[in-house]
Amino acid sequence: MTDANAPLDAVLSHVDANIDQSLERLFTLLRIASISTDPAYAGECHKAAEWLTNELQGLDFDSAVRPTPGHPMVVGHQRSIAGPNVLFYGHYDVQPVDPIELWTSEPFEPKIGEENGRKVILARGASDDKGQLMTFIEACRAYKAVRGSLPVGVTVLLEGEEESGSPSLDGFLKENADELKADIALVCDTDMWDEETPSIITMLRGLMADNVEIQAASRDLHSGMYGNAARNPNQVLAEIIASLRNPDGSVAVEGFYDDVPELPAEVAEQWKRLPFDEKGYLGAVGLSEPAGEKDRSVLEQITSRPTCEINGMWGGYTGDGFKTVIPAKAGAKISFRLVGNQDPHKIRKAFRAHVEARVPADCTVTFHEHGASPASVVPSDGAMLQKALGALTDEWGREAAIAGSGGSIPIVGDFKRKLGMDSLLIGYAQTDDRIHSPNEKYNLESYHKGIRSWVRVLDALSK
Amino acid sequence: MTDANAPLDAVLSHVDANIDQSLERLFTLLRIASISTDPAYAGECHKAAEWLTNELQGLDFDSAVRPTPGHPMVVGHQRSIAGPNVLFYGHYDVQPVDPIELWTSEPFEPKIGEENGRKVILARGASDDKGQLMTFIEACRAYKAVRGSLPVGVTVLLEGEEESGSPSLDGFLKENADELKADIALVCDTDMWDEETPSIITMLRGLMADNVEIQAASRDLHSGMYGNAARNPNQVLAEIIASLRNPDGSVAVEGFYDDVPELPAEVAEQWKRLPFDEKGYLGAVGLSEPAGEKDRSVLEQITSRPTCEINGMWGGYTGDGFKTVIPAKAGAKISFRLVGNQDPHKIRKAFRAHVEARVPADCTVTFHEHGASPASVVPSDGAMLQKALGALTDEWGREAAIAGSGGSIPIVGDFKRKLGMDSLLIGYAQTDDRIHSPNEKYNLESYHKGIRSWVRVLDALSK
């Protein structure tokens, strides 16, 4: 018996009363080894898509397994003519489990463990992203069970190739743009601020990446015969790389900071209020001193400020022992994390001009590009964002944070550019969930309160 | 019928009259595939040692194949009680022939070809070092045939592991120091100044090599999560490498030039007189502008001046595509060519101090040493050197050059330190002999006039 006018508390109580069944359904999904990068698991990916489609159909979604050139998508609709309508995005594929010997339990046999006094769900995909996407489906289930309907129109889009570069996504979004378009996208693939504090990510850094190769002599030389007189491309490349950073930690490419905005005042103030353990963040990886711009906090350095990183460099002999070679070539892979309105193409041009100005006589430089995406920014004063923040604050009893993410989540840019939609990135994962690594976990509290959070967020968005 | 008082010209005429037989003996030696690095050719190495021992015995040397833990040595004596006595050094082992498909004839089937109007001997080892060592043996043969004796006491030492790092040499020299010691060593493994101009190398650069590794974080990081705030060891290493050279091309390590002498005045003057094609030397490898100290000629930069070269560097992701990693470690192989009185241990200390002073907070540096040998210098005003220079000038009709070699020849340092002997490095190879490469050659003129040169040098040393 459903009651269309049941209060929000009744829906939340239903979540609490049925958490064991919600968990059992997640376990069923976690038992499917839907590793997308390994063709041997294609059948498992399909099985996960079928299972999710059935679940959505059981909740009255108009749902289907949708073929792509790769693993299928799952799409389900339960639209509202009155609106608003949301598009929920998640992914059902998972990372491989190597190195398997470091797992303390079977990656596809989920179980409950305990860590630091908290119960955790242990399995590949527990956090990334099966646990997260199931929080949303279970929230929908509670509404259907209590009220018989959802408070807003919902389209669910579940991808099966997120962990292998989303090769089919672009085409699928283009072909089904009208069907997928909604007032806002809800993306559940991110972390909380910390274990106590929920957050919505409104800033995602963009990326511009280039491969740089310096050639000097026409062949490798012997340093006994040519050392000193022959230009050494290792030395040239090192000098170029060294020139990319100023002594104060800022990036030295001309005009690099032109389109970098300051934090919105309300965000800057919130970040001063919210706890962020700089020492712990760096200390966890053996570091103690931030290496970026001296006048910026670690939090700013890793989320709201752009960076230039040397992701790889090579030249000459790198094996065991020693070889006194002067190589003909040396190379580097260099990427820039972008923020605000930095234009990746303009930054690429400025970067290449910076390099070219430092290539000495007898050397040539070759560039190969590896992608360019601008930062994604959701205005921090938007009405839907504010509603969702309020709902999260209510659920967790802590002021929900407006946060930035240092990495890019390409789907957010795709939704913006292809479907004209902003995204709200709401997730309940923790930074210590060991995603992509052995012994991946998801806090049981993240799952339970994650379901409750979506109940509140959907309610808030409906008002 | 020999004549102990036959004039020098008679010995030289004998060389000319018997050059075809001399060449046939060289061909016999070249047909033995004495590749020392490949255990499959151990039998061939032994065969070469046997053959050479027989040749020496045929010339009345007290000669034997001398076992070592590796390939055998050949030692032969024909000492003079009155003196002087010389130790002749050469090596009978050769480099592998890969890539075999680039050879235009069989590497171990020697033949006469023609290049740029000159006859050349084509075979692996033709120049390095079988052709060269046979010039000396054939010079001895001419003396024995014409006069019945050698003009000076001679010990011959032929090594079979020069191309594989001479692992047995050190022990052999120590164990047989008294037997091998002579007034001077004659080493025949070097080039002429050019095809017309003979030379004696009196300066060999030394070498100090270090492996340097910079560690920052305790594990590889994702640049999205840590970019900016985490110290990137690629950046740190590049800045250290960049700091090793001053803008004027000199090496920036403190005190690096303290023990670097200026060229002896007579050598400096000779180098101004002698032809050296700077443009051609650099142009042959696609370069045009010397990269070392601005106020030094190319010849000085590559022979009489020290250098610092980055022989290898690596860090992060270097495969296809792109990975936005911040690696935990980056490394480089860095070597210094040393001259004059530069002490490799002092230079290593100064280099490491230079690096350590530039390692920022949170980073550690680890060094591994890869050898240290000082430069070898033969005083350019020594009596024996002057006699040998005169003999070469007489043979070639050109002023013999006092030259430097940019690379090190470890045997010279070993003779000095272990046997207390200076070396005269006299060879007839050309820089275009393609040693260690396919289609190795030795000019026929180098062989013929090389034999005649030794006849004259031994005569001059006896006076």
Side-chain angles (χ1 to χ4, degrees):
Chain A
M1 279 299 296
T2 60
D3 171 5
N5 296 314
L8 183 62
D9 275 351
V11 185
L12 294 168
S13 296
H14 184 89
V15 171
D16 298 343
N18 292 275
I19 187 64
D20 288 348
Q21 292 87 324
S22 290
L23 194 61
E24 194 39 60
R25 280 185 287 271
L26 171 59
F27 273 33
T28 304
L29 179 58
L30 289 171
R31 289 190 190 102
I32 305 173
S34 48
I35 301 169
S36 58
T37 57
D38 187 340
Y41 293 88
E44 291 286 289
C45 288
H46 208 275
K47 192 172 157 191
E50 292 276 8
W51 185 87
L52 285 160
T53 302
N54 284 339
E55 289 298 302
L56 290 173
Q57 285 171 347
L59 301 174
D60 302 334
F61 280 82
D62 175 11
S63 179
V65 174
R66 303 280 287 267
T68 75
H71 302 304
M73 304 276 179
V74 172
V75 180
H77 296 292
Q78 195 156 163
R79 294 252 179 155
S80 158
I81 292 164
N85 283 285
V86 303
L87 172 69
F88 176 84
Y89 168 87
H91 64 91
Y92 66 78
D93 64 321
V94 299
Q95 282 275 322
V97 297
D98 306 317
I100 184 70
E101 66 276 10
L102 296 185
W103 285 79
T104 55
S105 61
E106 290 298 316
F108 296 110
E109 289 176 15
K111 64 172 212 180
I112 299 293
E114 198 172 307
E115 284 185 20
N116 305 317
R118 289 176 189 271
K119 289 198 167 159
V120 298
I121 303 160
L122 286 160
R124 168 58 83 228
S127 175
D128 182 19
D129 186 44
K130 288 173 174 172
Q132 302 244 59
L133 76 86
M134 283 296 285
T135 56
F136 188 84
I137 292 177
E138 293 301 299
C140 293
R141 186 184 308 277
Y143 271 114
K144 294 297 287 188
V146 175
R147 290 193 186 161
S149 67
L150 303 179
V152 296
V154 173
T155 293
V156 171
L157 169 65
L158 304 176
E159 187 189 359
E161 300 179 327
E162 200 271 350
E163 302 293 3
S164 47
S166 299
S168 308
L169 186 68
D170 190 59
F172 193 82
L173 291 185
K174 275 187 198 149
E175 279 164 34
N176 303 285
D178 289 342
E179 181 189 344
L180 296 171
K181 208 171 149 116
D183 296 302
I184 197 152
L186 304 175
V187 176
C188 191
D189 200 12
T190 52
D191 295 343
M192 287 170 57
W193 183 273
D194 61 29
E195 286 188 326
E196 318 285 336
T197 315
S199 72
I200 300 180
I201 289 171
T202 63
M203 293 169 285
L204 287 164
R205 290 199 287 195
L207 187 73
M208 187 286 277
D210 254 355
N211 193 95
V212 180
E213 196 168 77
I214 303 288
Q215 168 130 26
S218 53
R219 60 175 175 82
D220 286 1
L221 304 174
H222 188 276
S223 77
M225 287 184 68
Y226 280 93
N228 244 4
R231 190 66 68 178
N232 187 326
N234 281 334
Q235 183 77 31
V236 171
L237 183 66
E239 289 173 10
I240 289 170
I241 291 172
S243 78
L244 289 169
R245 287 265 183 185
N246 293 313
D248 66 2
S250 62
V251 175
V253 172
E254 205 182 319
F256 186 68
Y257 292 96
D258 282 356
D259 300 307
V260 175
E262 285 301 321
L263 279 181
E266 68 275 18
V267 178
E269 276 162 35
Q270 195 195 42
W271 285 12
K272 279 180 200 152
R273 276 199 310 276
L274 287 174
F276 179 77
D277 179 7
E278 295 209 345
K279 284 198 171 170
Y281 191 81
L282 292 177
V285 296
L287 300 175
S288 65
E289 204 172 274
E293 297 160 275
K294 285 209 193 314
D295 54 344
R296 300 289 175 174
S297 70
V298 168
L299 196 54
E300 287 176 284
Q301 290 186 18
I302 61 174
T303 56
S304 67
R305 302 297 297 176
T307 183
C308 163
E309 298 295 340
I310 314 306
N311 304 113
M313 65 181 191
W314 62 93
Y317 183 71
T318 60
D320 285 342
F322 215 95
K323 234 175 125 170
T324 52
V325 65
I326 297 177
K329 291 180 187 178
K333 291 180 196 283
I334 301 179
S335 66
F336 294 81
R337 298 275 172 183
L338 308 177
V339 303
N341 299 312
Q342 283 183 302
D343 174 348
H345 304 292
K346 195 172 141 196
I347 297 293
R348 193 192 303 281
K349 211 172 147 187
F351 164 64
R352 291 185 176 184
H354 180 102
V355 173
E356 278 160 356
R358 285 160 179 81
V359 174
D362 288 339
C363 290
T364 54
V365 60
T366 312
F367 298 99
H368 287 287
E369 65 176 81
H370 284 279
S373 59
S376 299
V377 181
V378 176
S380 56
D381 53 359
M384 286 188 154
L385 172 64
Q386 290 302 326
K387 288 176 185 172
L389 285 169
L392 292 174
T393 300
D394 288 347
E395 173 58 28
W396 295 83
R398 291 274 185 119
E399 178 189 3
I402 294 176
S405 166
S408 45
I409 301 185
I411 188 79
V412 176
D414 289 336
F415 285 160
K416 182 76 183 175
R417 283 186 298 276
K418 297 196 182 95
L419 307 182
M421 271 191 301
D422 279 333
S423 296
L424 296 181
L425 291 120
I426 303 173
Y428 317 101
Q430 306 297 333
T431 52
D432 67 353
D433 277 354
R434 298 183 291 267
I435 65 168
H436 297 203
S437 294
N439 306 310
E440 179 175 350
K441 63 94 172 162
Y442 195 47
N443 288 2
L444 185 57
E445 187 181 34
S446 289
Y447 190 56
H448 187 169
K449 288 174 80 74
I451 300 170
R452 289 174 55 100
S453 295
W454 283 123
V455 168
R456 290 186 192 269
V457 168
L458 293 182
D459 178 65
L461 293 178
S462 75
K463 303 249 160 100
Chain B
M1 280 299 296
T2 59
D3 170 4
N5 296 314
L8 184 62
D9 276 350
V11 186
L12 293 169
S13 297
H14 183 89
V15 172
D16 298 343
N18 292 276
I19 187 64
D20 288 347
Q21 292 89 320
S22 290
L23 193 60
E24 195 38 59
R25 280 185 287 270
L26 172 58
F27 274 32
T28 303
L29 179 58
L30 289 171
R31 287 188 192 103
I32 305 173
S34 47
I35 301 169
S36 59
T37 58
D38 187 339
Y41 293 88
E44 292 286 289
C45 288
H46 208 272
K47 191 171 157 191
E50 293 275 8
W51 185 87
L52 285 160
T53 303
N54 284 340
E55 289 299 302
L56 290 173
Q57 285 172 346
L59 300 174
D60 301 335
F61 279 83
D62 176 10
S63 179
V65 174
R66 302 281 286 268
T68 76
H71 303 303
M73 304 274 179
V74 173
V75 178
H77 296 290
Q78 197 156 161
R79 295 251 178 153
S80 157
I81 292 166
N85 284 285
V86 303
L87 172 68
F88 176 84
Y89 168 87
H91 64 90
Y92 66 78
D93 64 321
V94 299
Q95 281 275 321
V97 297
D98 306 316
I100 184 72
E101 66 275 11
L102 295 184
W103 286 80
T104 55
S105 62
E106 291 298 317
F108 297 109
E109 289 176 16
K111 62 173 213 180
I112 298 292
E114 198 171 306
E115 283 185 23
N116 307 317
R118 289 176 189 272
K119 289 199 168 161
V120 298
I121 303 160
L122 286 160
R124 169 56 85 229
S127 174
D128 181 18
D129 186 45
K130 288 173 174 171
Q132 303 243 60
L133 77 85
M134 283 295 286
T135 58
F136 187 85
I137 292 177
E138 293 301 300
C140 292
R141 187 185 307 278
Y143 270 114
K144 294 296 287 188
V146 176
R147 290 192 185 162
S149 67
L150 303 179
V152 296
V154 173
T155 293
V156 171
L157 170 64
L158 304 175
E159 187 189 0
E161 300 180 328
E162 200 272 350
E163 302 293 3
S164 47
S166 299
S168 307
L169 187 68
D170 190 59
F172 194 83
L173 291 184
K174 275 187 199 151
E175 280 165 34
N176 302 284
D178 288 343
E179 182 188 343
L180 295 171
K181 209 172 147 116
D183 296 301
I184 198 152
L186 304 174
V187 176
C188 191
D189 200 13
T190 52
D191 296 343
M192 288 171 56
W193 182 273
D194 61 29
E195 286 188 324
E196 317 285 336
T197 315
S199 72
I200 301 180
I201 288 172
T202 63
M203 293 169 284
L204 287 164
R205 290 199 285 195
L207 187 73
M208 187 286 278
D210 253 355
N211 194 96
V212 181
E213 197 169 74
I214 303 288
Q215 168 131 24
S218 53
R219 60 173 174 84
D220 286 1
L221 304 173
H222 187 275
S223 78
M225 287 185 66
Y226 280 92
N228 243 4
R231 191 66 67 178
N232 187 325
N234 281 333
Q235 184 76 30
V236 171
L237 183 66
E239 289 172 10
I240 289 171
I241 290 173
S243 77
L244 288 169
R245 286 266 182 185
N246 293 313
D248 66 1
S250 62
V251 175
V253 173
E254 205 182 318
F256 187 68
Y257 292 96
D258 282 357
D259 300 308
V260 175
E262 286 300 321
L263 279 181
E266 68 275 18
V267 177
E269 276 162 34
Q270 195 197 40
W271 284 13
K272 280 182 199 150
R273 276 200 310 276
L274 287 174
F276 179 77
D277 179 8
E278 294 210 345
K279 284 198 172 173
Y281 190 81
L282 291 177
V285 295
L287 300 174
S288 66
E289 206 172 271
E293 296 160 276
K294 286 209 192 314
D295 55 343
R296 302 288 175 173
S297 70
V298 168
L299 196 54
E300 287 176 285
Q301 289 186 19
I302 61 174
T303 57
S304 67
R305 302 297 297 177
T307 183
C308 164
E309 298 295 340
I310 315 306
N311 304 113
M313 65 181 190
W314 63 91
Y317 183 70
T318 60
D320 286 343
F322 214 94
K323 234 174 127 171
T324 51
V325 66
I326 297 176
K329 292 179 187 179
K333 290 180 196 283
I334 302 179
S335 66
F336 294 81
R337 297 276 171 183
L338 308 177
V339 304
N341 298 314
Q342 283 183 301
D343 175 347
H345 303 292
K346 195 172 142 195
I347 297 292
R348 193 192 302 279
K349 212 172 146 188
F351 163 65
R352 291 185 176 185
H354 180 103
V355 172
E356 279 160 356
R358 285 160 180 81
V359 174
D362 288 340
C363 292
T364 54
V365 60
T366 313
F367 299 99
H368 288 286
E369 64 175 82
H370 284 279
S373 58
S376 300
V377 182
V378 177
S380 56
D381 53 359
M384 284 188 155
L385 172 65
Q386 291 301 326
K387 287 176 184 172
L389 285 168
L392 291 173
T393 299
D394 288 348
E395 173 58 28
W396 294 83
R398 292 273 185 120
E399 178 189 4
I402 294 177
S405 167
S408 47
I409 300 184
I411 188 79
V412 176
D414 290 335
F415 285 160
K416 182 75 184 176
R417 282 185 299 276
K418 297 194 182 100
L419 307 183
M421 272 191 300
D422 279 332
S423 296
L424 296 179
L425 291 120
I426 303 173
Y428 316 101
Q430 307 295 334
T431 53
D432 67 355
D433 277 354
R434 298 183 291 269
I435 66 167
H436 297 203
S437 294
N439 306 310
E440 180 176 349
K441 62 96 172 161
Y442 196 48
N443 289 1
L444 186 57
E445 188 182 34
S446 289
Y447 191 55
H448 186 168
K449 288 174 80 74
I451 300 170
R452 289 176 53 102
S453 294
W454 283 123
V455 168
R456 290 186 191 270
V457 169
L458 294 183
D459 178 67
L461 293 179
S462 74
K463 301 259 162 87

